[in-house]
Amino acid sequence: MIVENSLKNKQRARVCGSSVSSSTDAFGAISRTILLVQPTKRPEGRTYADYESVNECMEGVSKMYEEHLKRMNPNSPSITYDISQLFDFIDDLADLSCLVYRADTQTYQPYNKDWLKEKIYVLLRRQAQQAGK
């Protein structure tokens, strides 16, 4: 699967200190999602981003990779990458996980890199199918 996005159209997540809003996902469940990122082994680099849904969080991970690519290729107006390259980027991060709010237990459920990659794959496949219609 090839992904191509214009770097001019960016959707930003609210990082480090956002409102306590929640949204309803396709299944009717509240899905506020907190993405925890540690790019390197250094704990000082830890950060988080707060999203209103799992899908927004997955898009945020993709945007994080696109920002990385933009820093590596500052003169390119657009970028193209394969999903395997995105997954390699995720694997190379020291830590990446997310916490998804569950309304039934009023708790956050933790998920690891493999879960994130599966959700990203499903999201990108769905977007590619919709673009092909």
Side-chain angles (χ1 to χ4, degrees):
M1 176 182 300
I2 301 291
V3 179
E4 185 171 352
N5 285 319
S6 170
L7 293 173
K8 295 176 184 173
N9 299 325
K10 298 219 177 302
Q11 181 178 358
R12 298 263 178 212
R14 296 167 306 197
V15 177
C16 298
S18 64
S19 64
V20 186
S21 63
S22 298
S23 68
T24 304
D25 66 15
F27 304 104
I30 295 174
S31 59
R32 181 171 178 214
T33 304
I34 301 169
L35 181 68
L36 306 171
V37 183
Q38 184 175 345
T40 66
K41 299 263 185 226
R42 297 176 42 151
E44 307 86 45
R46 291 179 185 157
T47 188
Y48 72 92
D50 185 14
Y51 298 89
E52 292 187 12
S53 71
V54 172
N55 281 349
E56 282 184 18
C57 181
M58 300 309 109
E59 290 173 1
V61 174
S62 297
K63 298 293 182 203
M64 183 173 36
Y65 179 56
E66 291 166 11
E67 288 292 330
H68 168 76
L69 290 175
K70 184 177 180 182
R71 284 190 303 274
M72 304 308 280
N73 304 288
N75 297 323
S76 297
S78 65
I79 55 172
T80 303
Y81 58 93
D82 187 274
I83 194 167
S84 65
Q85 294 168 301
L86 172 59
F87 289 173
D88 288 343
F89 172 78
I90 290 170
D91 289 335
D92 288 343
L93 295 172
D95 191 20
L96 183 71
S97 56
C98 69
L99 303 169
V100 180
Y101 184 73
R102 291 186 48 180
D104 59 342
T105 60
Q106 296 185 350
T107 60
Y108 282 87
Q109 179 75 37
Y111 293 99
N112 63 17
K113 289 179 181 181
D114 290 333
W115 185 87
L116 286 161
K117 290 190 292 188
E118 179 184 333
K119 293 297 182 188
I120 289 169
Y121 176 78
V122 169
L123 176 67
L124 293 177
R125 186 180 65 203
R126 187 178 309 132
Q127 288 175 347
Q129 287 172 343
Q130 289 174 350
K133 289 183 179 181

